[in-house]
Amino acid sequence: MALQPAAGARDLNPVQVGGNRRLRERLAEVYRLWGYEEVAPPSVERLDTLQAGGGIADQDVVRLAAEEPLGLRPEFTASIARAASTRMASRPRPLRLWAEGPTFRAFMGDAGGQRISEQLQSGVELLGVSTAAADVELIRLLLACTETIGLEPCHEPQLLVGHHGLLSALLQRLPDQHRTACRRALTGFDPLALAAIPLEQAEQAQLQALLRLRGAPARVLMELEQHLGASPLLTELATTLELVRPAAERLGVQLQLDPSFQPHFDLYDGIVLKLVCRGAAAPVDVASGGRYDALVGRFCTDAALAAGVGFAFSIEDIRELLSGNAGSKDTGRLVERPLLVAYGQPDGLAAALERLGGLHAQGRAAELHPEPIGSQREAEAVAFSRDSQGLEWLG
Amino acid sequence: MITVALAKGALLKDSVRCLAAAGLDFAALLDSDNRQLMVPSPCGTARALLVRNADVPVYVAYGQAQLGIVGEDVLREHQLPVAPLVDLGFGGCRMAVAVKASSGYRRAADLPAHCRVASKFVRCAETFFNQLDLPVELIHLTGSVELGPITGMSEAIVDLVATGRTLRDNGLVAIEDLFHSTARLIGHPLALRLDQGQLQTIIDRVAAARVEAR
């Protein structure tokens, strides 16, 4: 019999679970303050929902062996967009929802076999607002969350911002047959693949410059205006970023506008976001999100309501980031251990349970030593070995 | 601190030379007495990790190294999420199908369907034979793949060929190339997107030195 959990699945100890719970509760508190309501989307969905109309690649989804094509959710957005457009279709918009729980992604291991990655996520979805006001609210909420989870200046939080429409506008002037390859090379950060695409010299130089274009929003927007001319999209993006700038500055989150940035999942068709922190050894991807109007449109008949934005935090990555390393110091013990209730008489169990009940009634955590112990000294040794807060000895 | 993953072996000398052009001195790695696997540059702004060839993109993909230098053959075989930045031109070799000189096969399409092909690079081999629409049984070996045809375990091999001498000395002949491979400067995509100019300066200097060398 195997003694290890399936590769990629999580098997957490009490300290890790406690750390995750605290982060989830803090985030939930912020979501509630901003008027978001909790939903619990299913872990199992139909594959066509999970793949979000081609936004999520087939190989990213963990399939289930079932009669109909089912899989485990790789993220929440598609499930919540479906529920919002069906069971919650009659609820007034904007609809503000949040959810938390495990997500599952499949990937190909180096040995060629499928591997699974389980991640605990907590995130929000804001549905039914097609204007940039929703983008602003989403980023402001994301920034408010960074404060509550306890990110510090040493984590050097940076918010990468891209825009699907911006990239499309930049690629619009290229010959139709090369646009997909150019988009792939730009979003994949592949200057060599870009150089291999047979484009005019000026077009090639422009795309290579675009691949290097990122930084403070004001400067990048100015350069983009030179490429695209004045456009409503640039004005809208400039307004959005200007509205979130004061909060970002106050919280020490650096805004990095990157026109060629796109997240791993191709769900998004508007603004895209990724919050990244400096980890002990490598950048840590803390949260991701963006606008996904077309995805909502797949589930909803009323085009006016086909709008959605959202983000999700990776809880365990944040816990590991805040603990300073990958949890190697975790001993599996709760931080606050209960009192130990122990008794010496063979018939002392009833009195011990009575005492335990009394302590619980006072709101004090206490646990029972189930067998009689020979002496108080031995009971103290047991309490010490269990890291108990103290001993209630009944003799 | 910038971390660069470098491959032990044939690419190391040119990799160190190439980074020296960008102002990063890792000459200590070339010292035959050196046993350190992590070497700081004297300027104090960077360090090098000395790892096996196939591990370079792994360190870069996980973000432990922001940059790395490795052959394109390794990138094609391992398919990790790294950004290929500059074709460095050195370490040239070709990935080729080779058979026993006495076999009579003149091109890969001559191989019989369902024959055995031994290789260290099974993903490259699989892609190639899939494109040829030729079903083969791939055998993964970790070295001395030339022994596959010699012992009769396989009809052919897919392996890197630099001068061709090893093939000749073992009675084998290359019959078709899959691709030509040279060393690449690679980077961690997210680190590159968060870069405030430090990484780009190194990349630009390496690229400029490469152009000058041409």
Side-chain angles (χ1 to χ4, degrees), chain B residues 81-131:
Chain B
V82 296
L85 300 168
V86 183
D87 179 356
L88 298 169
F90 60 79
C93 55
R94 54 202 173 97
M95 187 71 76
V97 181
V99 293
K100 274 169 96 168
S102 58
S103 68
Y105 301 125
R106 291 290 167 263
R107 54 194 187 117
D110 293 343
L111 289 166
H114 307 293
C115 72
R116 290 175 178 164
V117 177
S119 185
K120 273 197 287 188
F121 302 90
V122 283
R123 194 174 274 170
C124 293
E126 188 175 19
T127 307
F128 174 75
F129 284 107
N130 281 346
Q131 282 166 355

CSV table of all heavy atoms in Angstrom, one decimal, chain B residues 81-131:
chain,number,residue,atom,x,y,z
B,81,PRO,N,8.8,26.1,-19.6
B,81,PRO,CA,8.4,27.5,-19.9
B,81,PRO,C,9.5,28.5,-19.6
B,81,PRO,O,9.6,29.1,-18.6
B,81,PRO,CB,7.2,27.7,-18.9
B,81,PRO,CG,7.5,26.7,-17.8
B,81,PRO,CD,8.2,25.6,-18.4
B,82,VAL,N,10.5,28.6,-20.5
B,82,VAL,CA,11.6,29.6,-20.4
B,82,VAL,C,11.5,30.4,-21.7
B,82,VAL,O,11.0,30.0,-22.7
B,82,VAL,CB,12.9,28.9,-20.3
B,82,VAL,CG1,13.0,28.1,-19.0
B,82,VAL,CG2,13.3,28.0,-21.5
B,83,ALA,N,12.1,31.6,-21.6
B,83,ALA,CA,12.1,32.5,-22.8
B,83,ALA,C,13.5,32.4,-23.5
B,83,ALA,O,14.5,32.7,-22.9
B,83,ALA,CB,11.9,33.9,-22.3
B,84,PRO,N,13.5,31.9,-24.7
B,84,PRO,CA,14.8,31.9,-25.5
B,84,PRO,C,15.1,33.3,-26.0
B,84,PRO,O,14.3,33.9,-26.6
B,84,PRO,CB,14.5,31.0,-26.7
B,84,PRO,CG,13.0,30.8,-26.7
B,84,PRO,CD,12.4,31.5,-25.5
B,85,LEU,N,16.3,33.9,-25.6
B,85,LEU,CA,16.5,35.3,-25.8
B,85,LEU,C,17.5,35.6,-26.9
B,85,LEU,O,17.3,36.5,-27.7
B,85,LEU,CB,17.0,35.9,-24.5
B,85,LEU,CG,16.0,35.8,-23.3
B,85,LEU,CD1,16.7,36.2,-22.0
B,85,LEU,CD2,14.8,36.7,-23.6
B,86,VAL,N,18.6,34.9,-26.9
B,86,VAL,CA,19.7,35.2,-27.9
B,86,VAL,C,20.2,33.8,-28.4
B,86,VAL,O,20.5,32.9,-27.6
B,86,VAL,CB,20.8,36.0,-27.3
B,86,VAL,CG1,21.8,36.4,-28.3
B,86,VAL,CG2,20.3,37.3,-26.6
B,87,ASP,N,20.4,33.8,-29.7
B,87,ASP,CA,21.1,32.6,-30.3
B,87,ASP,C,22.6,33.0,-30.2
B,87,ASP,O,23.1,33.9,-30.9
B,87,ASP,CB,20.7,32.4,-31.8
B,87,ASP,CG,21.4,31.3,-32.5
B,87,ASP,OD1,22.3,30.7,-31.8
B,87,ASP,OD2,21.1,30.9,-33.6
B,88,LEU,N,23.3,32.2,-29.4
B,88,LEU,CA,24.7,32.6,-29.1
B,88,LEU,C,25.7,32.1,-30.2
B,88,LEU,O,26.9,32.5,-30.2
B,88,LEU,CB,25.1,32.1,-27.7
B,88,LEU,CG,24.3,32.7,-26.6
B,88,LEU,CD1,24.5,32.0,-25.3
B,88,LEU,CD2,24.6,34.2,-26.5
B,89,GLY,N,25.2,31.2,-31.0
B,89,GLY,CA,26.0,30.8,-32.2
B,89,GLY,C,27.1,29.7,-31.9
B,89,GLY,O,27.4,28.9,-32.8
B,90,PHE,N,27.5,29.5,-30.6
B,90,PHE,CA,28.5,28.5,-30.3
B,90,PHE,C,27.8,27.2,-30.0
B,90,PHE,O,26.6,27.1,-29.8
B,90,PHE,CB,29.5,29.0,-29.3
B,90,PHE,CG,28.9,29.3,-27.9
B,90,PHE,CD1,28.6,28.3,-27.0
B,90,PHE,CD2,28.7,30.6,-27.6
B,90,PHE,CE1,28.1,28.6,-25.8
B,90,PHE,CE2,28.2,30.9,-26.3
B,90,PHE,CZ,27.9,29.9,-25.4
B,91,GLY,N,28.7,26.2,-29.8
B,91,GLY,CA,28.1,24.8,-29.4
B,91,GLY,C,27.3,24.2,-30.5
B,91,GLY,O,26.4,23.4,-30.3
B,92,GLY,N,27.7,24.5,-31.8
B,92,GLY,CA,26.9,24.0,-32.9
B,92,GLY,C,27.0,22.5,-33.0
B,92,GLY,O,28.1,21.9,-32.9
B,93,CYS,N,25.9,21.9,-33.3
B,93,CYS,CA,25.8,20.5,-33.5
B,93,CYS,C,24.5,20.2,-34.2
B,93,CYS,O,23.6,21.1,-34.3
B,93,CYS,CB,26.0,19.6,-32.2
B,93,CYS,SG,24.8,20.1,-31.0
B,94,ARG,N,24.3,19.0,-34.7
B,94,ARG,CA,23.0,18.7,-35.3
B,94,ARG,C,22.4,17.4,-34.6
B,94,ARG,O,23.1,16.5,-34.2
B,94,ARG,CB,23.2,18.5,-36.8
B,94,ARG,CG,24.2,17.5,-37.2
B,94,ARG,CD,24.7,17.7,-38.6
B,94,ARG,NE,25.8,16.8,-38.9
B,94,ARG,CZ,25.7,15.7,-39.5
B,94,ARG,NH1,24.5,15.3,-40.0
B,94,ARG,NH2,26.8,14.9,-39.7
B,95,MET,N,21.1,17.4,-34.5
B,95,MET,CA,20.4,16.3,-34.0
B,95,MET,C,20.1,15.4,-35.3
B,95,MET,O,19.5,15.9,-36.2
B,95,MET,CB,19.1,16.7,-33.4
B,95,MET,CG,18.3,15.6,-32.7
B,95,MET,SD,19.1,15.1,-31.2
B,95,MET,CE,18.7,16.4,-30.0
B,96,ALA,N,20.6,14.2,-35.2
B,96,ALA,CA,20.5,13.4,-36.5
B,96,ALA,C,20.0,12.0,-36.2
B,96,ALA,O,20.2,11.4,-35.1
B,96,ALA,CB,21.8,13.4,-37.2
B,97,VAL,N,19.4,11.4,-37.2
B,97,VAL,CA,19.1,9.9,-37.2
B,97,VAL,C,20.3,9.2,-37.7
B,97,VAL,O,20.8,9.6,-38.8
B,97,VAL,CB,17.9,9.6,-38.1
B,97,VAL,CG1,17.6,8.1,-38.0
B,97,VAL,CG2,16.7,10.5,-37.7
B,98,ALA,N,20.8,8.2,-37.0
B,98,ALA,CA,22.0,7.5,-37.5
B,98,ALA,C,21.7,6.0,-37.5
B,98,ALA,O,20.9,5.5,-36.6
B,98,ALA,CB,23.2,7.8,-36.6
B,99,VAL,N,22.3,5.2,-38.4
B,99,VAL,CA,22.0,3.8,-38.5
B,99,VAL,C,23.4,3.1,-38.7
B,99,VAL,O,24.4,3.8,-39.0
B,99,VAL,CB,21.1,3.5,-39.7
B,99,VAL,CG1,19.7,4.0,-39.5
B,99,VAL,CG2,21.7,4.0,-41.0
B,100,LYS,N,23.4,1.8,-38.7
B,100,LYS,CA,24.7,1.1,-39.0
B,100,LYS,C,25.0,1.4,-40.4
B,100,LYS,O,24.2,1.4,-41.3
B,100,LYS,CB,24.5,-0.4,-38.8
B,100,LYS,CG,24.7,-0.9,-37.4
B,100,LYS,CD,24.2,-2.3,-37.2
B,100,LYS,CE,25.4,-3.3,-37.3
B,100,LYS,NZ,24.9,-4.6,-36.9
B,101,ALA,N,26.3,1.6,-40.7
B,101,ALA,CA,26.8,2.0,-42.0
B,101,ALA,C,26.4,0.9,-43.0
B,101,ALA,O,26.1,1.1,-44.2
B,101,ALA,CB,28.3,2.2,-42.0
B,102,SER,N,26.3,-0.4,-42.5
B,102,SER,CA,26.1,-1.5,-43.4
B,102,SER,C,24.6,-1.8,-43.6
B,102,SER,O,24.2,-2.7,-44.2
B,102,SER,CB,26.7,-2.8,-42.8
B,102,SER,OG,26.2,-3.0,-41.4
B,103,SER,N,23.7,-0.9,-43.0
B,103,SER,CA,22.3,-1.2,-43.0
B,103,SER,C,21.6,-1.0,-44.3
B,103,SER,O,20.6,-1.6,-44.6
B,103,SER,CB,21.6,-0.4,-41.9
B,103,SER,OG,21.6,1.0,-42.4
B,104,GLY,N,22.2,-0.1,-45.1
B,104,GLY,CA,21.5,0.2,-46.4
B,104,GLY,C,20.5,1.3,-46.3
B,104,GLY,O,20.0,1.7,-47.4
B,105,TYR,N,20.1,1.7,-45.1
B,105,TYR,CA,19.1,2.8,-45.1
B,105,TYR,C,19.8,4.1,-45.5
B,105,TYR,O,20.9,4.4,-45.0
B,105,TYR,CB,18.6,3.0,-43.6
B,105,TYR,CG,17.9,1.7,-43.1
B,105,TYR,CD1,18.3,1.1,-41.9
B,105,TYR,CD2,16.8,1.2,-43.8
B,105,TYR,CE1,17.7,0.0,-41.4
B,105,TYR,CE2,16.2,0.0,-43.3
B,105,TYR,CZ,16.6,-0.6,-42.1
B,105,TYR,OH,16.0,-1.7,-41.7
B,106,ARG,N,19.1,4.9,-46.3
B,106,ARG,CA,19.7,6.2,-46.8
B,106,ARG,C,19.0,7.4,-46.2
B,106,ARG,O,19.5,8.5,-46.3
B,106,ARG,CB,19.8,6.2,-48.3
B,106,ARG,CG,20.7,5.2,-48.9
B,106,ARG,CD,22.2,5.6,-48.6
B,106,ARG,NE,23.2,4.5,-48.9
B,106,ARG,CZ,23.7,3.7,-48.0
B,106,ARG,NH1,23.3,3.9,-46.7
B,106,ARG,NH2,24.5,2.8,-48.3
B,107,ARG,N,17.8,7.2,-45.8
B,107,ARG,CA,17.0,8.3,-45.2
B,107,ARG,C,16.1,7.7,-44.1
B,107,ARG,O,15.8,6.5,-44.2
B,107,ARG,CB,16.3,9.2,-46.2
B,107,ARG,CG,15.4,8.3,-47.1
B,107,ARG,CD,15.0,9.1,-48.3
B,107,ARG,NE,14.0,8.2,-49.0
B,107,ARG,CZ,12.7,8.5,-49.2
B,107,ARG,NH1,12.3,9.7,-48.8
B,107,ARG,NH2,11.9,7.7,-49.8
B,108,ALA,N,15.6,8.6,-43.3
B,108,ALA,CA,14.8,8.1,-42.1
B,108,ALA,C,13.5,7.4,-42.6
B,108,ALA,O,13.1,6.4,-42.0
B,108,ALA,CB,14.4,9.3,-41.2
B,109,ALA,N,12.9,7.9,-43.8
B,109,ALA,CA,11.7,7.3,-44.3
B,109,ALA,C,11.9,5.8,-44.7
B,109,ALA,O,11.0,5.1,-44.9
B,109,ALA,CB,11.1,8.1,-45.4
B,110,ASP,N,13.2,5.4,-44.9
B,110,ASP,CA,13.5,4.0,-45.4
B,110,ASP,C,13.4,3.1,-44.2
B,110,ASP,O,13.3,1.8,-44.4
B,110,ASP,CB,15.0,3.9,-45.9
B,110,ASP,CG,15.2,4.7,-47.2
B,110,ASP,OD1,14.1,5.0,-47.8
B,110,ASP,OD2,16.3,5.0,-47.5
B,111,LEU,N,13.4,3.6,-43.0
B,111,LEU,CA,13.3,2.7,-41.8
B,111,LEU,C,12.0,2.0,-41.8
B,111,LEU,O,10.9,2.6,-42.1
B,111,LEU,CB,13.5,3.5,-40.5
B,111,LEU,CG,14.8,4.0,-40.2
B,111,LEU,CD1,14.8,5.1,-39.1
B,111,LEU,CD2,15.8,2.9,-39.8
B,112,PRO,N,12.0,0.7,-41.4
B,112,PRO,CA,10.7,-0.1,-41.4
B,112,PRO,C,9.8,0.4,-40.3
B,112,PRO,O,10.2,0.8,-39.3
B,112,PRO,CB,11.1,-1.5,-41.2
B,112,PRO,CG,12.4,-1.4,-40.5
B,112,PRO,CD,13.1,-0.2,-41.0
B,113,ALA,N,8.5,0.4,-40.6
B,113,ALA,CA,7.5,0.8,-39.6
B,113,ALA,C,7.6,0.0,-38.4
B,113,ALA,O,7.9,-1.2,-38.5
B,113,ALA,CB,6.1,0.7,-40.2
B,114,HIS,N,7.4,0.5,-37.2
B,114,HIS,CA,7.5,-0.2,-35.9
B,114,HIS,C,8.9,-0.6,-35.5
B,114,HIS,O,9.1,-1.5,-34.7
B,114,HIS,CB,6.5,-1.3,-35.8
B,114,HIS,CG,5.1,-0.9,-36.2
B,114,HIS,ND1,4.4,-0.1,-35.4
B,114,HIS,CD2,4.3,-1.2,-37.3
B,114,HIS,CE1,3.2,0.2,-36.0
B,114,HIS,NE2,3.1,-0.5,-37.1
B,115,CYS,N,9.9,-0.1,-36.2
B,115,CYS,CA,11.3,-0.5,-35.8
B,115,CYS,C,11.6,0.2,-34.5
B,115,CYS,O,11.0,1.2,-34.1
B,115,CYS,CB,12.3,-0.1,-36.9
B,115,CYS,SG,12.6,1.6,-37.1
B,116,ARG,N,12.7,-0.2,-33.9
B,116,ARG,CA,13.1,0.4,-32.6
B,116,ARG,C,14.1,1.5,-32.9
B,116,ARG,O,15.1,1.3,-33.7
B,116,ARG,CB,13.8,-0.6,-31.7
B,116,ARG,CG,12.8,-1.6,-31.2
B,116,ARG,CD,13.5,-2.6,-30.4
B,116,ARG,NE,12.6,-3.6,-29.8
B,116,ARG,CZ,13.0,-4.8,-29.3
B,116,ARG,NH1,14.3,-5.1,-29.4
B,116,ARG,NH2,12.2,-5.6,-28.8
B,117,VAL,N,14.0,2.6,-32.2
B,117,VAL,CA,14.9,3.7,-32.3
B,117,VAL,C,15.3,4.1,-30.9
B,117,VAL,O,14.5,4.4,-30.0
B,117,VAL,CB,14.2,5.0,-33.0
B,117,VAL,CG1,15.2,6.1,-33.1
B,117,VAL,CG2,13.8,4.6,-34.4
B,118,ALA,N,16.6,4.1,-30.6
B,118,ALA,CA,17.1,4.5,-29.3
B,118,ALA,C,17.6,5.9,-29.3
B,118,ALA,O,18.1,6.4,-30.3
B,118,ALA,CB,18.3,3.5,-28.9
B,119,SER,N,17.3,6.6,-28.2
B,119,SER,CA,17.7,8.0,-28.1
B,119,SER,C,17.7,8.5,-26.6
B,119,SER,O,17.0,8.0,-25.8
B,119,SER,CB,16.8,8.9,-28.9
B,119,SER,OG,17.2,10.2,-28.9
B,120,LYS,N,18.5,9.5,-26.4
B,120,LYS,CA,18.4,10.3,-25.1
B,120,LYS,C,17.3,11.3,-25.3
B,120,LYS,O,16.8,11.8,-24.3
B,120,LYS,CB,19.8,11.0,-24.9
B,120,LYS,CG,20.8,10.2,-24.1
B,120,LYS,CD,21.8,11.2,-23.5
B,120,LYS,CE,22.8,11.7,-24.6
B,120,LYS,NZ,23.9,12.4,-24.1
B,121,PHE,N,17.0,11.6,-26.6
B,121,PHE,CA,16.1,12.8,-26.9
B,121,PHE,C,14.8,12.2,-27.4
B,121,PHE,O,14.5,12.4,-28.6
B,121,PHE,CB,16.8,13.7,-27.9
B,121,PHE,CG,18.1,14.3,-27.4
B,121,PHE,CD1,19.3,13.6,-27.6
B,121,PHE,CD2,18.1,15.4,-26.6
B,121,PHE,CE1,20.5,14.1,-27.2
B,121,PHE,CE2,19.3,15.9,-26.2
B,121,PHE,CZ,20.5,15.3,-26.4
B,122,VAL,N,14.1,11.5,-26.6
B,122,VAL,CA,12.9,10.8,-27.1
B,122,VAL,C,11.8,11.8,-27.6
B,122,VAL,O,11.0,11.5,-28.5
B,122,VAL,CB,12.3,9.8,-26.1
B,122,VAL,CG1,13.2,8.6,-26.0
B,122,VAL,CG2,12.2,10.4,-24.7
B,123,ARG,N,11.7,12.9,-26.9
B,123,ARG,CA,10.6,13.9,-27.4
B,123,ARG,C,10.9,14.4,-28.7
B,123,ARG,O,10.1,14.5,-29.6
B,123,ARG,CB,10.5,15.0,-26.3
B,123,ARG,CG,9.2,15.8,-26.5
B,123,ARG,CD,9.0,16.8,-25.4
B,123,ARG,NE,8.4,16.2,-24.3
B,123,ARG,CZ,8.2,16.9,-23.1
B,123,ARG,NH1,8.8,18.1,-23.0
B,123,ARG,NH2,7.6,16.3,-22.1
B,124,CYS,N,12.2,14.8,-29.0
B,124,CYS,CA,12.6,15.3,-30.3
B,124,CYS,C,12.4,14.2,-31.3
B,124,CYS,O,11.8,14.4,-32.4
B,124,CYS,CB,14.1,15.7,-30.3
B,124,CYS,SG,14.5,17.1,-29.3
B,125,ALA,N,12.8,12.9,-31.0
B,125,ALA,CA,12.6,11.8,-31.9
B,125,ALA,C,11.2,11.6,-32.2
B,125,ALA,O,10.8,11.4,-33.3
B,125,ALA,CB,13.3,10.6,-31.3
B,126,GLU,N,10.3,11.6,-31.1
B,126,GLU,CA,8.9,11.3,-31.3
B,126,GLU,C,8.3,12.4,-32.3
B,126,GLU,O,7.5,12.0,-33.2
B,126,GLU,CB,8.2,11.4,-30.0
B,126,GLU,CG,6.8,10.9,-30.0
B,126,GLU,CD,6.1,10.9,-28.6
B,126,GLU,OE1,6.7,11.5,-27.7
B,126,GLU,OE2,5.1,10.2,-28.5
B,127,THR,N,8.6,13.7,-32.0
B,127,THR,CA,8.1,14.7,-32.9
B,127,THR,C,8.5,14.5,-34.3
B,127,THR,O,7.7,14.6,-35.3
B,127,THR,CB,8.6,16.1,-32.4
B,127,THR,OG1,8.3,16.2,-31.0
B,127,THR,CG2,8.0,17.2,-33.2
B,128,PHE,N,9.8,14.2,-34.5
B,128,PHE,CA,10.3,14.0,-35.9
B,128,PHE,C,9.6,12.8,-36.6
B,128,PHE,O,9.1,13.0,-37.7
B,128,PHE,CB,11.8,13.7,-35.8
B,128,PHE,CG,12.4,13.4,-37.1
B,128,PHE,CD1,12.6,14.3,-38.1
B,128,PHE,CD2,12.8,12.0,-37.4
B,128,PHE,CE1,13.2,14.0,-39.3
B,128,PHE,CE2,13.4,11.7,-38.6
B,128,PHE,CZ,13.6,12.7,-39.6
B,129,PHE,N,9.5,11.7,-35.9
B,129,PHE,CA,8.9,10.5,-36.6
B,129,PHE,C,7.4,10.7,-36.8
B,129,PHE,O,6.8,10.2,-37.7
B,129,PHE,CB,9.2,9.2,-35.8
B,129,PHE,CG,10.6,8.8,-36.1
B,129,PHE,CD1,11.6,8.9,-35.1
B,129,PHE,CD2,11.0,8.3,-37.3
B,129,PHE,CE1,12.9,8.5,-35.4
B,129,PHE,CE2,12.3,7.9,-37.6
B,129,PHE,CZ,13.3,8.0,-36.6
B,130,ASN,N,6.7,11.4,-35.9
B,130,ASN,CA,5.3,11.7,-36.0
B,130,ASN,C,5.1,12.6,-37.3
B,130,ASN,O,4.2,12.3,-38.1
B,130,ASN,CB,4.8,12.5,-34.8
B,130,ASN,CG,4.5,11.6,-33.7
B,130,ASN,OD1,4.4,10.4,-33.8
B,130,ASN,ND2,4.3,12.2,-32.5
B,131,GLN,N,6.0,13.5,-37.5
B,131,GLN,CA,5.9,14.4,-38.7
B,131,GLN,C,6.1,13.6,-40.0
B,131,GLN,O,5.6,13.8,-41.0
B,131,GLN,CB,6.9,15.5,-38.7
B,131,GLN,CG,6.4,16.7,-37.7
B,131,GLN,CD,7.5,17.6,-37.4
B,131,GLN,OE1,8.7,17.5,-37.8
B,131,GLN,NE2,7.2,18.7,-36.7
